[in-house]
Amino acid sequence: MNLDLKSKLPDVGTTIFTVMSVLAAECNAVNLGQGFPDYEMNPELISLVDQAMRSGNNQYVHMNGYIPLREALAEKVRLLYETIIDPDKQITITPGGTYAIYTAITSVLNPGDEVILFQPAYDSYIPNVLVNGGVPVLIDLKFPGYRIDWDEVKSRITTRTRMMIFNSPHNPTGAILNPEDISTLRKIVKDTNILLVSDEVYEHLIFDNLRHESFLWYPDLMERSFVCFSFGKVYHCTGWKLGYCISSPALMKEFRKVHQFNCFSCHTPSQVALASFLQNTQSYTALPSFMQGKRDSFQQMMAATRFTALPSYGSYFQLYMYDRISDESDTAFTIRITREFAVASIPVSVFYLSGKDDKVIRFCFAKKQETLEKAVACLIRV
Ligand SMILES: Cc1ncc(COP(=O)(O)O)c(C=O)c1O
């Protein structure tokens, strides 16, 4: 049968994350490749879900999200970023951060619109732009600091530039936007109609007392931004696939038009549980030091290996160069150390459309202390 199928994403295949996880399982390797915790989430949050289900919160909830949860999030935003958000018009609960990003892009992008994004990039951005007929305009972050070259950004803006996508704290590098980045961005977009997506799924996972430069701090950026978050990432339950988007009322109206006919409403009991969990500010204020403890411990142990650390200021990723060990390509190297030394990681070249290879690999340190110790004991032999 000829179905005359014209793929909307002809170049998309199986991602390296799947490949490495399969290989890790085959080799019985410690998996520091994929970005998820191997420790348990907070039992209190589990009990709250149980309680929510037992008290009958098992039917569709409001399309935009459980109202007390949106109110709790607005209060969190007021406390953390000194910004007043209308929970009725500016917050929508989504099935994960990725969905929030996809919906944001889909709700405003038209065929031929250009979208500036930075590489290495989280793998969903480019397909999200392409599936909507947009044109990705790719800018490499400057190696090895992974900073944005703002002169290049200015030179790549055209009359067709519709959107820019940012991600801080950044996957895969652990880089963060600093106040100078934000002030340059504010100047660049002022008096333009450029829209912004700010992927802040690693909000709270930021170290060394640095401030998270959320777009929520800046009313002029908020007017043109979709700011996307993930409960799964910050509460150690990636399998929940629950997140949210905060935007201006005008942009949120468009966002909800797409959301309404795609997922409509998200898992009710988790939303009821999170609404009470968030009442305790410790549920998020304790997160930076918790994750920094893991970063510090991993870095200290890794100092005994021949890998060279690049700084990680946020997220739960840490990059390492292996120039003192090998000149293999990063993909060949990660496959070999998984096979020979039983530790899986991710080659950073996969986060570039061009496959740019700076011989850097990514480890995820959101793991139990014993998992990190086991991995480092193997990596010391490399
Ligand atoms: C930068 C970035 N954005 C979004 C996501 C996905 O978040 P969620 O699982 O809530 O869809 C990830 C997950 O790896 C990520 O690294």
Side-chain angles (χ1 to χ4, degrees):
M1 190 164 45
N2 178 11
L3 294 176
D4 197 19
L5 211 56
K6 288 191 185 64
S7 176
K8 291 187 126 181
L9 296 170
D11 300 323
V12 169
T14 309
T15 71
I16 187 78
F17 305 98
T18 312
V19 172
M20 290 309 290
S21 284
V22 169
L23 187 65
E26 250 172 56
C27 302
N28 203 13
V30 189
N31 191 353
L32 302 192
Q34 251 185 332
F36 57 80
D38 70 343
Y39 46 85
E40 266 316 314
M41 60 178 290
N42 190 322
E44 188 193 329
L45 190 47
I46 297 177
S47 305
L48 287 167
V49 179
D50 181 57
Q51 223 172 292
M53 291 176 106
R54 288 181 196 283
S55 31
N57 293 286
N58 298 302
Q59 307 307 330
Y60 292 134
V61 74
H62 193 291
M63 173 189 123
N64 302 328
Y66 182 56
I67 294 169
L69 176 57
R70 282 187 277 141
E71 288 167 350
L73 290 169
E75 177 57 10
K76 185 182 94 156
V77 170
R78 189 186 67 78
L79 285 174
L80 291 183
Y81 307 117
E82 297 166 10
T83 297
I84 304 297
I85 295 290
D86 180 347
D88 187 33
K89 297 196 172 70
Q90 293 187 260
I91 306 180
T92 301
I93 309 297
T94 62
T98 314
Y99 172 102
I101 297 161
Y102 176 80
T103 305
I105 294 172
T106 303
S107 63
V108 293
L109 207 66
N110 285 295
D113 287 346
E114 291 181 3
V115 180
I116 292 183
L117 50 95
F118 302 91
Q119 295 190 120
Y122 177 57
D123 59 354
S124 76
Y125 304 155
I126 296 176
N128 284 183
V129 171
L130 290 173
V131 89
N132 282 294
V135 181
V137 175
L138 306 174
I139 296 181
D140 289 349
L141 296 170
K142 289 284 160 227
F143 179 75
Y146 296 104
R147 309 245 32 107
I148 293 174
D149 178 343
W150 288 104
D151 288 331
E152 183 170 3
V153 174
K154 284 181 208 157
S155 75
R156 304 287 295 276
I157 291 178
T158 73
T159 50
R160 287 183 305 280
T161 307
R162 188 71 188 108
M163 182 182 269
M164 292 161 110
I165 304 179
F166 293 89
N167 171 214
S168 176
H170 186 252
N171 174 14
T173 67
I176 55 170
L177 291 175
N178 64 29
E180 292 76 53
D181 291 317
I182 297 287
S183 97
T184 314
L185 172 65
R186 292 169 77 186
K187 282 186 206 132
I188 290 179
V189 294
K190 191 167 181 286
D191 301 325
T192 72
N193 64 359
I194 297 174
L195 302 174
L196 306 171
V197 167
S198 183
D199 177 349
E200 301 185 15
V201 299
Y202 297 103
E203 181 200 26
H204 309 309
L205 309 184
I206 186 156
F207 317 131
D208 308 321
N209 290 319
L210 290 161
R211 181 175 110 147
H212 171 48
E213 286 298 322
S214 175
F215 284 24
L216 297 175
W217 282 108
Y218 304 97
D220 54 336
L221 292 184
M222 271 311 292
E223 274 175 21
R224 54 175 82 236
S225 297
F226 296 97
V227 191
C228 303
F229 298 92
S230 167
F231 292 113
K233 286 287 176 190
V234 293
Y235 291 126
H236 326 301
C237 50
T238 56
W240 278 27
K241 289 301 290 188
L242 200 66
Y244 57 103
C245 179
I246 300 184
S247 191
S248 67
L251 291 179
M252 189 48 82
K253 207 169 155 192
E254 295 307 312
F255 183 99
R256 288 175 176 173
K257 287 182 191 170
V258 176
H259 171 69
Q260 168 164 237
F261 298 114
N262 196 3
C263 123
F264 180 65
S265 82
C266 301
H267 193 250
T268 305
S270 330
Q271 294 189 58
V272 175
L274 281 161
S276 10
F277 192 64
L278 282 169
Q279 299 304 321
N280 179 357
T281 54
Q282 272 270 319
S283 66
Y284 45 88
T285 53
L287 290 167
S289 59
F290 170 79
M291 203 54 86
Q292 180 172 339
K294 296 210 170 283
R295 180 204 64 172
D296 291 349
S297 169
F298 185 55
Q299 275 188 358
Q300 279 154 19
M301 291 190 288
M302 284 293 283
T305 69
R306 290 195 296 153
F307 291 87
T308 311
L310 291 172
S312 169
Y313 302 105
S315 79
Y316 44 49
F317 300 113
Q318 168 78 57
L319 298 187
Y320 278 91
M321 299 197 293
Y322 55 89
D323 52 334
R324 290 190 284 160
I325 301 169
S326 155
D327 59 5
E328 283 159 283
S329 74
D330 62 356
T331 304
F333 183 71
T334 48
I335 291 174
R336 186 169 69 78
I337 62 165
T338 309
R339 289 218 169 98
E340 293 179 12
F341 297 94
V343 180
S345 56
I346 299 289
V348 171
S349 64
V350 303
F351 297 90
Y352 290 89
L353 198 64
S354 63
K356 181 171 184 274
D357 182 2
D358 292 309
K359 314 258 161 120
V360 178
I361 62 176
R362 187 196 80 176
F363 293 106
C364 170
F365 54 75
K367 305 290 169 188
K368 292 180 207 150
Q369 181 63 16
E370 69 206 61
T371 309
L372 296 175
E373 283 169 12
K374 197 170 158 198
V376 177
C378 302
L379 294 171
I380 279 175
R381 296 189 289 110
V382 181

